Amino acid sequence: MEALTAKEQQFMNFLKEQNAYKEALTTLQWDSHTQIPRGGVDNRSEVVGFLSGKLQQSETSDRMKEYLDDMKATSENGLIRQVVEECERVYEKSRKIPNKTYQEYVTLCSKAEAVWEEARKKNEFSLFEPYLSRIVEYNQEFAELWGYEGNRYNALLDNNEPGITVETLDVVFPALRKSLTSLIEQVKASPVKADVSLLKSPFPIERQKALSESILEMIGYRFENGRLDTSAHPYSFAINPNDVRLSTKYIEDDFRSSLFSSVHEGGHALYEQNIGRNLMGTPLSAASSMGMHESQSLYWEMFVTADRGFWETNYDWFRSFAPDHFKSVSLDDFYVALHDVKPSLIRIEADPLTYSMHIMLRYELEKALLHGDVKAKELPHVWNELMQEYLGVVPGNNRDGVLQDIHWSSGDFGYFPSYTLGYVYAAQLHAAMKQEVMFENCLQTNDFLSIRQWFTEHVHKHGKTKQPLELLKEVTSEELNPDYLVQYLTKKYGEIYQF
Amino acid sequence: MEALTAKEQQFMNFLKEQNAYKEALTTLQWDSHTQIPRGGVDNRSEVVGFLSGKLQQSETSDRMKEYLDDMKATSENGLIRQVVEECERVYEKSRKIPNKTYQEYVTLCSKAEAVWEEARKKNEFSLFEPYLSRIVEYNQEFAELWGYEGNRYNALLDNNEPGITVETLDVVFPALRKSLTSLIEQVKASPVKADVSLLKSPFPIERQKALSESILEMIGYRFENGRLDTSAHPYSFAINPNDVRLSTKYIEDDFRSSLFSSVHEGGHALYEQNIGRNLMGTPLSAASSMGMHESQSLYWEMFVTADRGFWETNYDWFRSFAPDHFKSVSLDDFYVALHDVKPSLIRIEADPLTYSMHIMLRYELEKALLHGDVKAKELPHVWNELMQEYLGVVPGNNRDGVLQDIHWSSGDFGYFPSYTLGYVYAAQLHAAMKQEVMFENCLQTNDFLSIRQWFTEHVHKHGKTKQPLELLKEVTSEELNPDYLVQYLTKKYGEIYQF
């Protein structure tokens, strides 16, 4: 970075204060998800609420405004100008929400997360419902305060996926749903049948842990800059690029849960660990968008470690961790079983063909909640109706239905579409990457460094200096194009299921 | 608590903000000691420095001053008046130190802790020396800013042990040293010999962990309000009374390290977990003093779980965790071995007779550093000279000498005397407790609840509402009296070593 003027340096130091709040909050969040004793939960939400409030106060302070005005008038440093732009965006958005309201909301969400966990455990949606109602009300209020063009939901989309609107999604999603439905039908009609029971053998948690650690090291996750824990829902916690922690979930008789969620969260972590150090301590030391973040996690989970080439090279490695049972499972049967396609209840356990159906369902419900067309208490019913329509399966209880995801309890509305956009981005980036990197060769030699470096160079290192559609255009020379995803899935599943 | 007026409630809410900083800082401290990946260390010190600065700013803010003046003028609530007194003490002390200086100091200490760890690992005092020099300079400056009567060191003692002065310690410590030296000589001359090798058998870490968990549950540590981790130096981290975490240290061929440090830290935790909930969120939700804190940890470590009665009841329980080797060790031999007395190098591994010698040495060195009579770079030399004089043993390297304790790297000057005062308090409290609780019977029936409840009633629940000497007087009807400790040790070691 060019040498900073004294004023610019002061501004950067001022931002370090906000960064300190963020790092403390992420550490507390990690602790709350993976380490905190039950008795510590209650008071934690107060602490988180207070610190979040302080962060927002600082981001929207008069001092911030003075710095921004001053920097805009005087700084010619390119990075500073980008930082100012991002700070101003946050400033404008945040100051529209009264500090007290925001603090109440954060405290509410922190409590709601604990209540959600309990509700899920007890399979009692009614425990969670009043919290969800209030969270929705807050989000309705926020959308109005922020303002939006077109659909009210665009106000929330803008937080996660700037540039993406309901108007786009309402075209892309139905078309994608049609293609996916057709693929699912073709798989169903295929003579090839995946036998998932082959994968379900008691697999000691300790061995699964070693397997997760090993695959994370293979793909280039740096354990000296992170750690792997467990939580109810796998997560990644980026405290800063030098400390990016993961959590996974072990299920004794299904290694896929921990293996693929470790890789998934590891993909998020590769992004965060490789953001340019020149951005550290600024709000640009973050992912371009939630969808771009998801593109990286999905990429490693689906395009790399679920590729036929990966398993041809690494099936013996896998079997060195696995119980004896797998000695009698052929690579072909194993690979087909990994690509079982089956409409099912749980999003995070869904296969890549049915996964986006879960997302589209949530997208529709979020829009309906936000417009008041559906009330929180009606949600279990409407959820089940849509499950029937989209996937043809209906959960027998709310634990496997509306209570399965942490997002709404955390106040993460407008986030779900990013998952499917992540697929779309990933496929489009994959096609571009393959023009420069010998992908198949990489998988034959376990050369994940070349792949990771391509993504670091084109995606990771830029942090939040580029918006997702801008980044996509620069790297792939194209606008958002879901065809790459459909082509990829058609080829892959066509080969497996012979259609 | 009586109903609060609106103003009193506002004041209490204001204090909750400071409490939030404290809870975040303690959680970060716990994380730094037990969980953080190596790469995360550097940035952590900035975050801790910033939040500590914010806390101090709030404690010394004009708003705090206004609240204090207002409360003093208007509040008749007994608890509020005590809270005001404590806040005023902190306000007066803190405001004497410029905020910038304090923040630099906290950042320095946070870095110094990491450097100390490295210096200790590499056995290179020179790495740590410049940090220690600067920490001493800050403490000299602080003492002058705070002011003191008599000795400059009294300014630091007042932080940890209000009421205790150099003038007292310079009488109590030499007398105690004389009694301890005599006891050590008698043990040395005894025909009874402790065979410590009996205790040193490979003891799987997992079994040691189970043993620690079991003994902590026995003495009443609530795991739903805490957890047990590992760290280089055992510690307790009181985030709030509902979340008090412990760390211990496992040494495979010496179970004593983890067992007794778990109980020791567990004793600290029993104090913190049982502070009256009426004090929560106020600065009175803390121990009376560092020495009173140590009295509780030492009490459970030495007076309970190192008592003959405890082992008569629980030796079989212990052997259910221990390797087979212990089946051939008699209770008598085991118990004598646990009470080996031997001048040694490491404070935390020292026996109760030689332990205080380590403390007195540090006390003398701290005084000398603070007065500038000894420079940091001379410390290894002077350390070794005093070790020779007090204990007749000299470390072969600084790792086992001047680099063994974390305290100075954390800026904890004036803390060490509290350890020996903890012994003195514990013995005096023990004598008082035995007049009301059938102590021997309790050990025969593993009734630790009666013992713990006595301490909760007389010590824990009061938090910081009473100063240590005041508490001691109320509970034992006596001034500080080290004779109880000498009598206790003389009786116990006389029985074991037959003098």
Side-chain angles (χ1 to χ4, degrees):
Chain A
M1 194 161 67
E2 311 136 59
L4 297 180
T5 65
K7 268 189 183 176
E8 287 166 346
Q9 191 59 58
Q10 274 174 17
F11 173 56
M12 293 297 255
N13 287 342
F14 176 66
L15 293 182
K16 278 195 179 171
E17 298 196 353
Q18 291 168 17
N19 189 59
Y21 284 124
K22 287 181 194 167
E23 293 200 18
L25 281 163
T26 308
T27 311
L28 290 172
Q29 187 198 20
W30 166 80
D31 183 72
S32 294
H33 282 271
T34 65
Q35 311 290 341
I36 200 170
R38 168 169 292 271
V41 170
D42 275 354
N43 223 51
R44 175 58 56 84
S45 51
E46 264 193 29
V47 174
V48 167
F50 169 73
L51 292 177
S52 304
K54 282 284 175 188
L55 170 60
Q56 203 217 9
Q57 273 176 30
S58 178
E59 286 173 342
T60 59
S61 61
D62 295 342
R63 216 170 138 209
M64 175 58 113
K65 179 73 176 149
E66 284 162 29
Y67 272 122
L68 294 178
D69 290 344
D70 189 27
M71 286 296 114
K72 281 198 288 185
T74 64
S75 178
E76 290 173 4
N77 180 299
L79 175 61
I80 294 278
R81 295 196 72 85
Q82 284 188 296
V83 169
V84 165
E85 197 177 321
E86 172 63 13
C87 290
E88 196 159 35
R89 195 187 64 75
V90 173
Y91 176 85
E92 295 296 342
K93 270 213 128 151
S94 297
R95 69 192 280 276
K96 291 179 179 165
I97 297 181
N99 189 59
K100 191 163 164 290
T101 308
Y102 180 70
Q103 203 160 329
E104 283 165 8
Y105 178 66
V106 173
T107 305
L108 170 67
C109 290
S110 189
K111 274 188 192 148
E113 280 187 34
V115 172
W116 165 77
E117 272 206 39
E118 201 193 335
R120 186 156 165 263
K121 206 169 162 186
K122 295 185 177 166
N123 190 31
E124 283 188 40
F125 179 73
S126 60
L127 292 177
F128 180 51
E129 190 232 302
Y131 288 86
L132 181 57
S133 278
R134 287 174 59 204
I135 289 173
V136 169
E137 283 164 17
Y138 274 106
N139 275 280
Q140 290 169 334
E141 190 184 337
F142 294 166
E144 292 306 317
L145 289 168
W146 285 326
Y148 47 86
E149 283 182 33
N151 198 296
R152 183 193 265 178
Y153 191 75
N154 286 340
L156 302 186
L157 276 176
D158 184 60
N159 290 335
N160 300 299
E161 224 50 43
I164 297 287
T165 62
V166 167
E167 291 69 24
T168 304
L169 295 183
D170 283 351
V171 173
V172 170
F173 279 5
L176 190 57
R177 200 177 130 212
K178 203 177 152 200
S179 300
L180 292 173
T181 304
S182 155
L183 285 172
I184 294 166
E185 288 305 316
Q186 285 175 277
V187 168
K188 205 173 166 187
S190 165
V192 179
K193 299 291 173 202
D195 181 1
V196 179
S197 74
L198 293 175
L199 307 177
K200 295 191 173 177
S201 176
F203 199 137
I205 304 296
E206 279 308 308
R207 307 293 287 277
Q208 290 194 46
K209 187 161 177 271
L211 181 64
S212 281
E213 286 167 356
S214 180
I215 201 165
L216 284 167
E217 273 171 7
M218 280 166 71
I219 67 172
Y221 173 76
R222 295 191 304 276
F223 274 96
E224 67 271 30
N225 295 114
R227 44 181 293 140
L228 178 64
D229 295 283
T230 61
S231 64
H233 185 100
Y235 231 89
S236 65
F237 307 87
I239 296 169
N240 63 54
N242 295 324
D243 189 353
V244 185
R245 307 182 185 187
L246 309 176
S247 66
T248 190
K249 184 182 177 178
Y250 299 102
I251 298 174
E252 191 167 15
D253 68 351
D254 196 343
F255 72 90
R256 293 175 300 173
S257 165
S258 65
L259 180 64
F260 290 106
S261 67
S262 292
V263 171
H264 182 95
E265 301 308 328
H268 282 303
L270 287 184
Y271 199 158
E272 297 277 357
Q273 285 187 337
N274 293 298
I275 291 175
R277 293 302 189 273
N278 58 321
L279 304 175
M280 224 173 139
T282 80
L284 300 177
S285 185
S288 170
S289 73
M290 295 304 119
M292 201 52 79
H293 225 317
E294 281 300 315
S295 81
Q296 298 307 291
S297 52
L298 289 169
Y299 188 75
W300 290 92
E301 180 188 0
M302 191 169 98
F303 291 73
V304 180
T305 61
D307 189 277
R308 169 95 195 177
F310 176 87
W311 288 105
E312 281 171 3
T313 311
N314 293 301
Y315 193 43
D316 282 344
W317 159 84
F318 168 79
R319 289 200 281 202
S320 74
F321 293 91
D324 287 347
H325 159 79
F326 286 92
K327 283 185 188 156
S328 61
V329 180
S330 75
L331 172 59
D332 280 341
D333 291 344
F334 178 81
Y335 183 67
V336 174
L338 281 188
H339 289 85
D340 183 37
V341 175
K342 194 176 167 185
S344 65
L345 302 174
I346 307 294
R347 176 183 61 85
I348 58 164
E349 294 169 10
D351 57 82
L353 295 193
T354 57
Y355 185 88
S356 289
M357 302 301 200
H358 293 271
I359 297 306
M360 295 171 197
L361 173 151
R362 286 156 180 76
Y363 167 64
E364 294 300 331
L365 291 179
E366 287 191 350
K367 277 195 298 181
L369 283 168
L370 202 69
H371 292 132
D373 299 338
V374 165
K375 301 287 176 207
K377 69 175 174 209
E378 301 166 313
L379 216 47
H381 177 68
V382 186
W383 179 285
N384 292 358
E385 278 187 344
L386 276 182
M387 281 296 289
Q388 180 61 47
E389 184 185 340
Y390 284 20
L391 286 162
V393 290
V394 175
N397 60 57
N398 290 324
R399 186 192 291 144
D400 295 335
V402 67
L403 284 175
Q404 69 184 268
D405 293 309
I406 195 173
H407 301 63
W408 293 341
S409 73
S410 312
D412 283 337
F413 273 79
Y415 185 108
F416 279 117
S418 296
Y419 288 109
T420 284
L421 287 167
Y423 275 100
V424 176
Y425 297 158
Q428 192 166 339
L429 290 167
H430 182 60
M433 191 269 291
K434 284 178 77 176
Q435 296 181 7
E436 297 176 32
V437 175
M438 304 281 278
F439 181 73
E440 284 78 12
N441 282 6
C442 288
L443 294 195
Q444 276 168 23
T445 58
N446 277 347
D447 170 19
F448 303 107
L449 184 61
S450 298
I451 301 171
R452 203 265 294 154
Q453 279 179 336
W454 188 90
F455 279 101
T456 292
E457 187 58 30
H458 292 88
V459 180
H460 306 161
K461 77 171 189 187
H462 301 295
K464 210 174 181 172
T465 59
K466 296 173 194 292
Q467 287 201 354
L469 297 180
E470 178 191 357
L471 191 70
L472 208 60
K473 183 76 187 283
E474 279 186 26
V475 181
T476 71
S477 310
E478 269 192 78
E479 306 296 331
L480 181 70
N481 185 351
D483 292 347
Y484 289 103
L485 177 61
V486 174
Q487 283 160 18
Y488 176 84
L489 293 173
T490 305
K491 179 163 185 296
K492 183 173 193 180
Y493 284 84
E495 281 171 9
I496 296 171
Y497 286 96
Q498 304 171 2
F499 55 78
Chain B
M1 192 160 69
E2 311 137 58
L4 296 179
T5 66
K7 267 189 181 174
E8 286 167 347
Q9 192 58 58
Q10 276 175 16
F11 173 55
M12 292 296 253
N13 286 343
F14 176 66
L15 293 183
K16 278 194 180 173
E17 299 196 353
Q18 291 169 17
N19 189 59
Y21 284 124
K22 286 181 196 167
E23 292 200 18
L25 281 162
T26 307
T27 311
L28 290 172
Q29 187 198 20
W30 167 80
D31 184 71
S32 294
H33 281 270
T34 65
Q35 312 288 342
I36 200 170
R38 168 169 295 269
V41 171
D42 275 354
N43 224 51
R44 176 58 58 83
S45 51
E46 262 191 30
V47 175
V48 167
F50 168 73
L51 292 177
S52 303
K54 282 286 174 187
L55 170 60
Q56 204 220 6
Q57 272 175 30
S58 178
E59 286 173 342
T60 59
S61 62
D62 294 342
R63 214 169 139 213
M64 176 57 114
K65 178 73 176 152
E66 283 162 28
Y67 272 121
L68 293 178
D69 289 344
D70 189 27
M71 286 297 115
K72 280 199 287 184
T74 63
S75 177
E76 289 174 2
N77 180 300
L79 174 60
I80 295 278
R81 295 196 72 84
Q82 283 188 299
V83 169
V84 166
E85 198 177 320
E86 172 63 13
C87 289
E88 196 159 35
R89 195 186 65 75
V90 172
Y91 177 86
E92 295 295 342
K93 271 210 127 154
S94 298
R95 70 191 281 276
K96 290 179 180 166
I97 298 179
N99 189 57
K100 191 162 164 291
T101 308
Y102 180 70
Q103 204 160 329
E104 284 165 7
Y105 178 66
V106 173
T107 305
L108 169 66
C109 290
S110 190
K111 276 190 189 142
E113 280 188 33
V115 172
W116 164 75
E117 272 206 39
E118 201 194 336
R120 187 157 162 260
K121 206 170 161 187
K122 296 186 176 163
N123 191 30
E124 281 188 41
F125 179 74
S126 60
L127 293 176
F128 180 51
E129 189 231 301
Y131 288 86
L132 181 57
S133 278
R134 286 174 57 205
I135 289 174
V136 169
E137 282 164 18
Y138 274 105
N139 275 281
Q140 290 169 334
E141 191 185 337
F142 294 166
E144 292 306 317
L145 290 168
W146 285 324
Y148 47 87
E149 282 183 35
N151 198 295
R152 182 194 264 178
Y153 192 75
N154 286 340
L156 302 185
L157 276 177
D158 184 59
N159 289 334
N160 300 298
E161 223 52 41
I164 296 287
T165 62
V166 167
E167 291 70 23
T168 305
L169 294 182
D170 282 352
V171 173
V172 170
F173 278 5
L176 190 58
R177 198 175 133 214
K178 203 176 152 198
S179 299
L180 291 173
T181 303
S182 157
L183 285 172
I184 294 166
E185 286 306 315
Q186 284 175 280
V187 168
K188 203 172 168 185
S190 166
V192 178
K193 299 293 171 200
D195 181 2
V196 178
S197 73
L198 293 176
L199 307 178
K200 295 193 173 177
S201 177
F203 198 137
I205 303 296
E206 279 308 308
R207 309 292 288 274
Q208 289 194 46
K209 187 160 176 271
L211 182 63
S212 281
E213 287 167 356
S214 180
I215 201 166
L216 284 167
E217 273 170 7
M218 280 166 71
I219 68 172
Y221 173 75
R222 295 192 304 274
F223 273 96
E224 67 270 30
N225 295 115
R227 43 180 293 142
L228 178 64
D229 295 284
T230 60
S231 64
H233 185 101
Y235 231 88
S236 66
F237 307 87
I239 296 170
N240 63 53
N242 294 324
D243 189 354
V244 185
R245 308 182 185 188
L246 309 177
S247 66
T248 190
K249 184 181 178 178
Y250 299 102
I251 298 175
E252 190 167 16
D253 69 349
D254 196 342
F255 72 90
R256 292 175 301 174
S257 165
S258 65
L259 180 63
F260 290 106
S261 67
S262 292
V263 171
H264 182 95
E265 301 309 328
H268 282 303
L270 288 184
Y271 198 158
E272 297 278 357
Q273 286 188 335
N274 293 298
I275 290 175
R277 293 302 190 271
N278 58 319
L279 304 175
M280 223 172 139
T282 79
L284 299 177
S285 185
S288 169
S289 74
M290 296 303 120
M292 200 52 79
H293 225 317
E294 282 301 315
S295 81
Q296 298 307 292
S297 52
L298 289 169
Y299 187 75
W300 290 92
E301 180 188 0
M302 191 167 99
F303 290 72
V304 179
T305 61
D307 190 278
R308 168 96 196 177
F310 177 86
W311 288 103
E312 281 171 2
T313 311
N314 293 301
Y315 192 42
D316 282 344
W317 158 85
F318 168 80
R319 289 200 281 200
S320 74
F321 294 91
D324 287 347
H325 159 79
F326 285 92
K327 284 185 188 155
S328 62
V329 180
S330 73
L331 172 58
D332 280 340
D333 290 344
F334 179 82
Y335 183 66
V336 174
L338 280 188
H339 289 86
D340 183 36
V341 175
K342 194 173 167 187
S344 64
L345 302 174
I346 307 295
R347 176 182 62 84
I348 58 164
E349 294 169 11
D351 58 81
L353 296 192
T354 57
Y355 184 88
S356 288
M357 302 300 202
H358 293 271
I359 297 307
M360 294 172 199
L361 172 151
R362 286 156 177 77
Y363 167 65
E364 294 301 332
L365 291 179
E366 287 192 349
K367 278 194 299 181
L369 283 167
L370 202 69
H371 292 133
D373 298 338
V374 165
K375 301 286 174 207
K377 69 172 176 213
E378 301 167 310
L379 217 47
H381 177 69
V382 186
W383 179 284
N384 292 358
E385 278 188 342
L386 276 183
M387 281 297 287
Q388 180 61 47
E389 186 185 339
Y390 283 19
L391 285 162
V393 290
V394 176
N397 60 58
N398 290 325
R399 185 191 291 145
D400 296 335
V402 67
L403 284 174
Q404 69 184 267
D405 293 308
I406 195 173
H407 301 62
W408 292 341
S409 74
S410 312
D412 283 338
F413 273 78
Y415 184 107
F416 279 118
S418 296
Y419 288 109
T420 285
L421 287 166
Y423 274 100
V424 175
Y425 297 159
Q428 192 167 339
L429 290 166
H430 182 59
M433 191 269 292
K434 285 179 76 178
Q435 295 180 7
E436 296 176 33
V437 175
M438 305 283 277
F439 181 72
E440 284 78 11
N441 282 6
C442 288
L443 294 196
Q444 275 168 22
T445 58
N446 276 346
D447 170 19
F448 302 109
L449 183 61
S450 297
I451 300 170
R452 204 266 293 154
Q453 280 180 334
W454 188 90
F455 279 102
T456 292
E457 187 58 29
H458 292 87
V459 180
H460 306 161
K461 77 170 189 186
H462 301 295
K464 210 174 181 172
T465 58
K466 295 172 194 294
Q467 287 203 353
L469 296 180
E470 179 191 356
L471 192 70
L472 208 61
K473 183 76 186 284
E474 279 184 26
V475 181
T476 71
S477 310
E478 268 192 77
E479 306 296 332
L480 180 70
N481 185 349
D483 291 348
Y484 288 102
L485 177 62
V486 173
Q487 283 160 19
Y488 176 85
L489 293 172
T490 304
K491 181 165 182 295
K492 183 175 194 178
Y493 284 84
E495 280 170 11
I496 296 171
Y497 286 96
Q498 304 173 2
F499 54 79

